[in-house]
Amino acid sequence: MTTDRVRIAPSPTGPLHIGTARTALFNFLHARHTGGVFVLRLEDTDVARSTLEYENDILEGLHWLGLRWDEGPEVAGEEARGPFGPYRQMQRLELYAAAASQLLANDQAYPCYCRPEELEAVRKEQEAAKLPPRYNGRCARLTPDERAAFESEGRKAALRFRVGEGVVGWDDIVRGRVEIDVANIGGDFVIVRADGTPLYHFVVVVDDAAMNMTLIIRGEDHISNTPKHILLFRALGHDVPTFAHLPLILNADRTKMSKRKTQTALADYRAEGFIREGLVNYLALLGWSTGTEDEILSIDELIERFDIHEVNKAGAVFDRARLEWLNGQWIRRLDADDLVDRLRPFIQAELDAGRIDRMPSDEEVRALLPIVQERLPRLGVIGELVGFLWIDQLDVDPERLVPKRWDAATTAEALAAARATIADVGEVSYEADELEPPLRSLAEVRGWKAGDLFMAIRVAVTGRTATPPLFDTLVALGYERTLERLDRALQTLASAPAASAPGT
RNA sequence: GCCCCCAUCGUCUAGAGGCCUAGGACGCCACCCUUUCAAGGUGGAGAUCAGGGGUUCGAAUCCCCUUGGGGGCACCA
């Protein structure tokens, strides 16, 4: 088994994207499965768009998912790890400068004095002529005198890499043999801007070479760029790593997943209460499967079973419904203390948003778990599910109080009777199995359907028609508040204009 | 426009020549359970394996073409 060095190289120009997380996961799984090394490198050479905030979001997100890197930059409170640092590209500029002058010295790269406007004009012409955009090579063969002339004009030169001719091919782990004629990659490309800062295709290769990466696992959108990278590896005199291009994650319309059409920020899923186990499990199944019918897999099981050679080629549509199902599966598997801990911030968020009036204690939440755990596809639905327990005063629309088959008078009568029955049970023996029998016999004696009676009570004390099991809910609410809410519902019914007379 | 990649139920996928009258999961529908909602259980609808040619005794699986979809073609990453 090979021990690969793999990496994830995010660019801090936006929040951690689901696609980046998936690529990171596949790299991580491959490294762990094969005993390799997983490296994190920050590609921050786009200074204009990179921010520290995004960097934090990305690092924190990967960490939260459980994707620990063996080598990577210093992060809050922690030193950089690994012998190939620094791991932020803006701290590696000397390296790129050295590589650039090496290429320049060997005439594998040359200064280009074309101005952006000039290049733009050429591109426009090509477009008009229905030709593929391509650098026209104007500066490829300048004489020293011509260069001097441009210099004296005050022009700053960018550096272009000589692409040459021929076919570049590689054996992609997921795609097999891929060959691309160099004539189709757009001509000599810029590797260093006129302002001296290096560009992506250049730095990625310099660093992958310097960091001894042996396998590049990345998105399919890089297939067309791969010839540039291979050419650069060769020019720098470095072994070309192996490539594995993953299928893309798609919007519902099968275009590349974008924030316009799909929620793409990992943090947003997290904020909705998707848990790492669910997300990791779901992401792992986007483009890969065990080949068996097993699909609920922990990260350890994924590490054990993941094989980069089994990744499939076709793009995968991001299906939120399936994510929610898997997430629910994992929430149900959480143990009580863990779930209470994970729920707390979501309850706090309800409080902060003013949707509830008080923060329940951990004991209170823990006691709720048996009726709540299997009803949570996401942690964020906790408020919707049992938020009524934590509000001071419940206002219920009088029309809502009346069950479908009943009228207001029957409802009022039933609620009053139920109130008496519950009061009769008394506070000391106020338990679900003490509450149910007397209320059932009340319904029987009065000739009401138990379901109707229960529904009337349910709405009166929760304001909702869909809740966890009624008697457990009443217990959670407490003796006093249950009676208060029943009284209040009775008042609401009494003061409401008689909407429907009995019997009509 | 040019180059490259891809193609099995709505979606994620199993399938590496006969085990496929194509399996599983999500979603959907029905039923069971049931005080509502979930969860769980059972069953169902849903794919002429994009289409057409080959190769073969035999093709979802191999080859070719077509069609469709996608990605890439920056002094972004």
Side-chain angles (χ1 to χ4, degrees):
Chain A
M1 198 170 275
T2 54
T3 54
D4 280 311
R5 288 179 56 82
V6 297
R7 48 56 167 189
I8 182 70
S11 166
T13 53
L16 179 57
H17 186 105
I18 284 286
T20 307
R22 202 270 304 238
T23 302
L25 175 63
F26 278 37
N27 274 282
F28 171 86
L29 292 176
H30 181 261
R32 289 292 173 272
H33 180 77
T34 59
V37 178
F38 177 50
V39 178
L40 175 84
R41 183 177 69 225
L42 258 5
E43 311 228 323
D44 54 358
T45 55
D46 185 349
V47 180
R49 293 196 298 147
S50 296
T51 72
L52 192 62
E53 192 191 344
Y54 289 142
E55 182 182 307
N56 288 336
D57 182 85
I58 290 165
L59 296 178
E60 215 274 321
L62 292 173
H63 189 81
W64 178 77
L65 283 171
L67 309 184
R68 307 304 171 79
W69 46 93
D70 305 303
E71 295 177 21
E74 67 285 356
V75 295
E78 237 181 284
E79 306 242 317
R81 280 196 300 278
F84 298 97
Y87 292 88
R88 279 188 180 78
Q89 292 186 324
M90 286 308 283
Q91 295 167 201
R92 300 171 63 78
L93 294 178
E94 328 77 67
L95 225 71
Y96 313 131
S101 44
Q102 179 195 330
L103 294 180
L104 197 52
N106 298 340
D107 195 39
Q108 289 167 305
Y110 58 86
C112 170
Y113 297 90
C114 297
R115 289 174 165 143
E117 323 72 91
E118 296 167 344
L119 295 169
E120 184 58 29
V122 171
R123 244 194 307 278
K124 283 245 168 68
E125 275 173 40
Q126 291 168 335
E127 197 180 320
K130 305 229 175 209
L131 291 169
R134 158 176 246 285
Y135 178 58
N136 61 9
R138 186 180 78 157
C139 299
R141 303 286 163 209
L142 294 181
T143 63
D145 283 350
E146 289 169 322
R147 284 180 187 168
F150 278 130
E151 296 279 352
S152 65
E153 258 182 61
R155 293 200 185 207
K156 291 281 184 221
L159 203 60
R160 276 186 195 272
F161 179 73
R162 282 191 205 285
V163 150
E165 294 178 345
V167 171
V168 177
W170 72 96
D171 295 303
D172 196 287
I173 290 185
V174 346
R175 294 183 196 256
R177 185 73 187 169
V178 181
E179 294 188 339
I180 295 176
D181 192 320
V182 156
N184 295 313
I185 64 176
D188 297 341
F189 57 93
V190 176
I191 56 176
V192 180
R193 293 183 180 93
D195 70 4
T197 57
L199 257 6
Y200 169 75
H201 294 304
F202 184 52
V203 295
V204 77
V205 170
V206 171
D207 283 341
D208 284 338
M211 295 181 178
N212 268 320
M213 307 316 305
T214 61
L215 205 213
I216 308 298
I217 301 173
R218 65 192 354 178
E220 184 186 3
D221 45 351
H222 281 294
I223 289 182
S224 303
N225 294 327
T226 303
K228 293 181 184 174
H229 300 167
I230 290 176
L231 255 19
L232 247 9
F233 275 112
R234 289 183 189 153
L236 292 167
H238 195 275
D239 288 343
V240 178
T242 306
F243 294 92
H245 286 98
L246 307 176
L248 258 22
I249 302 180
L250 276 19
N251 296 310
D253 62 5
R254 305 204 75 90
T255 54
K256 180 168 138 183
M257 191 194 202
S258 62
K259 105 180 174 193
R260 260 283 170 241
K261 297 172 179 172
T262 311
Q263 185 174 92
T264 57
L266 183 90
D268 290 340
Y269 287 92
R270 212 175 143 181
E272 289 188 275
F274 287 96
I275 64 176
R276 66 173 68 81
E277 291 86 344
L279 244 2
V280 163
N281 195 162
Y282 179 71
L283 258 18
L285 262 18
L286 243 31
W288 175 80
S289 74
T290 60
T292 69
E293 284 172 7
D294 304 334
E295 52 185 2
I296 298 181
L297 302 159
S298 69
I299 196 158
D300 288 334
E301 291 169 319
L302 289 171
I303 287 170
E304 194 184 319
R305 306 180 68 160
F306 183 79
D307 185 346
I308 188 73
H309 301 276
E310 287 167 350
V311 169
N312 38 236
K313 305 184 222 282
V317 172
F318 188 87
D319 180 4
R320 184 186 164 108
R322 192 169 154 81
L323 203 212
E324 288 214 7
W325 171 76
L326 258 179
N327 198 59
Q329 290 294 322
W330 280 105
I331 287 178
R332 273 166 240 151
R333 283 167 170 74
L334 258 26
D335 71 56
D337 291 332
D338 191 9
L339 182 50
V340 170
D341 282 344
R342 299 209 210 191
L343 241 16
R344 196 179 301 113
F346 289 88
I347 300 173
Q348 182 68 49
E350 291 296 303
L351 186 64
D352 295 342
R355 288 191 288 267
I356 60 175
D357 299 311
R358 69 182 178 87
M359 194 66 193
S361 68
D362 285 355
E363 295 68 45
E364 203 178 340
V365 174
R366 199 179 204 288
L368 238 32
L369 259 28
I371 59 169
V372 134
Q373 192 159 9
E374 70 190 20
R375 273 167 255 260
L376 291 172
R378 293 180 285 116
L379 300 177
V381 311
I382 188 69
E384 196 177 306
L385 195 59
V386 290
F388 58 81
L389 291 171
W390 308 314
I391 63 179
D392 293 337
Q393 197 177 75
L394 186 73
D395 293 307
V396 187
D397 176 358
E399 296 208 7
R400 250 193 144 178
L401 282 168
V402 182
K404 276 184 299 237
R405 284 187 296 263
W406 285 8
D407 54 38
T410 311
T411 305
E413 191 188 342
L415 251 23
R419 196 240 184 253
T421 303
I422 292 169
D424 211 44
V425 169
E427 190 164 9
V428 271
S429 49
Y430 189 77
E431 293 299 334
D433 47 6
E434 299 299 320
L435 252 16
E436 182 166 356
L439 286 166
R440 271 193 193 284
S441 60
L442 170 67
E444 200 178 332
V445 168
R446 306 296 293 263
W448 296 321
K449 293 197 72 170
D452 290 334
L453 206 218
F454 297 165
M455 183 54 82
I457 301 172
R458 170 178 295 112
V459 176
V461 302
T462 69
R464 297 171 179 276
T465 53
T467 69
L470 180 61
F471 306 106
D472 297 296
T473 302
L474 295 184
V475 172
L477 237 197
Y479 181 75
E480 294 294 337
R481 281 189 302 153
T482 296
L483 295 183
E484 271 170 33
R485 289 189 182 185
L486 285 170
D487 288 336
R488 189 173 170 79
L490 252 4
Q491 280 171 28
T492 303
L493 276 174
S495 57
S500 55
T504 60

